[in-house]
Amino acid sequence: VKEQEEQHEKVLQEAEQVFGLLNERAKKASGEAEAQVKKWEEGDGGELLQAISKGEGGAKLQEMLGQVDMQSMASQYAQQAQQMAGDLQNQEWVKDASQRAQAAVADAQQRGQELYNSEEVQGLMQGDQLQAAMQAGQEAASSAASAAQDAMSK
């Protein structure tokens, strides 16, 4: 159990580092985007932004979209996403975490089976008290069902 807790803590620490790096990158990208928007607002934009400022944005946008191969772009983005997912799966910390999780599941299953097969649990399952409790439960359920039927028929 202690080893599992240590492994769990290690995975959490590694994930925290990754998310910290992602957060830093997001902040940087946000700052860059704000700076770019400010440039555009000051008139230092591309053709489309200049056309928009002159009231000719719709025509320029249609012209530019006519030059874009959307299907090719979508295909490229899909390939990039697949490559990024594959790269993530190939990272050692992801492989390690996956192996540790699989080992923890196998260990839990084994321990559960061992507990179920233990003499103590088997004795409880075959004991008179358990049998009596199960019988009482079945009788109570039967009585409740009968009472419910009686109440519904009235």
Side-chain angles (χ1 to χ4, degrees), residues 72-134:
S72 174
M73 285 177 58
S75 176
Q76 288 175 353
Y77 288 141
Q79 287 174 344
Q80 288 174 355
Q82 287 175 340
Q83 182 178 354
M84 288 171 64
D87 290 347
L88 181 62
Q89 289 177 347
N90 289 330
Q91 290 188 16
E92 287 304 315
W93 71 270
V94 173
K95 288 180 183 178
D96 184 50
S98 177
Q99 289 171 351
R100 287 186 291 174
Q102 289 172 355
V105 167
D107 184 52
Q109 288 173 337
Q110 179 182 353
R111 289 175 190 237
Q113 188 64 43
E114 288 170 359
L115 179 62
Y116 177 79
N117 292 336
S118 71
E119 289 180 25
E120 185 178 335
V121 170
Q122 291 299 314
L124 287 173
M125 291 177 62
Q126 294 175 0
D128 292 336
Q129 289 177 335
L130 179 62
Q131 296 298 326
M134 289 177 63

